[in-house]
Amino acid sequence: MKVFKSLVIAGVLALSGCTNVIGDVPRSIHLSSSAGQEAGELLSVARDFFSGSGYQCHADQPADSLRCSRPLRDLYIHQTTAVIRIYSDDDATPEVTLVTTRWDEGLIPSEFISDEFHNPDVEAFCEYVKAQALGVCQTVSS
């Protein structure tokens, strides 16, 4: 009976679910001063770009922030979502921060999920920003 009870407890613990969050390298977007860009204009461009790439975007509070998310995997027992957040710390500084994370939630233990994440949509957005002469993305070192 003790063996059965131990197996049931071990099974419940294994299937109890988990959440694993991993982030890509954060980036700062230095806005083009020659174009007279403001953070609000970049957020509008970002909303259009990521919405066109299948993300659902909405403005976060405060108003100078944008959050976009897109499901990467939607299985019955496990869901993975990419989240992109773009925000400006100060309206006077022509710099915007871009952070992307991957959220894994479900019944697959985190030991079986990759602890590396690179979002190609963010890379494409940075290339788009540069091509449109809106600014330049740079990775933020810790």
Side-chain angles (χ1 to χ4, degrees):
M1 185 65 169
K2 285 186 178 185
V3 174
F4 178 72
K5 204 180 226 185
S6 298
L7 287 175
V8 169
I9 291 172
V12 168
L13 289 175
L15 296 176
S16 63
C18 63
T19 298
N20 184 32
V21 179
I22 190 74
D24 196 351
V25 178
R27 293 169 173 81
S28 63
I29 303 173
H30 298 277
L31 300 175
S32 174
S33 60
S34 63
Q37 297 295 318
E38 295 180 3
E41 293 177 43
L42 181 69
L43 293 177
S44 177
V45 169
R47 178 190 309 271
D48 293 342
F49 181 88
F50 288 114
S51 293
S53 298
Y55 287 80
Q56 290 186 348
C57 297
H58 61 277
D60 273 349
Q61 295 299 324
D64 56 353
S65 180
L66 179 70
R67 184 176 188 275
C68 302
S69 63
R70 180 179 84 175
L72 301 177
R73 177 187 309 128
D74 191 9
L75 303 174
Y76 177 70
I77 62 168
H78 193 85
Q79 295 79 37
T80 302
T81 305
V83 177
I84 297 170
R85 215 171 141 245
I86 303 172
Y87 58 92
S88 174
D89 289 331
D90 184 6
D91 288 333
T93 307
E95 184 176 312
V96 176
T97 304
L98 187 150
V99 179
T100 182
T101 53
R102 181 193 71 206
W103 290 73
D104 288 290
E105 299 177 273
L107 298 178
I108 299 175
S110 61
E111 294 83 25
F112 299 115
I113 299 171
S114 172
D115 62 352
E116 295 180 16
F117 177 60
H118 175 73
N119 191 335
D121 295 324
V122 169
E123 196 69 38
F125 177 68
C126 285
E127 290 174 14
Y128 179 77
V129 165
K130 184 176 181 181
Q132 297 297 315
L134 298 173
V136 177
C137 290
Q138 295 178 339
T139 58
V140 176
S141 57
S142 300

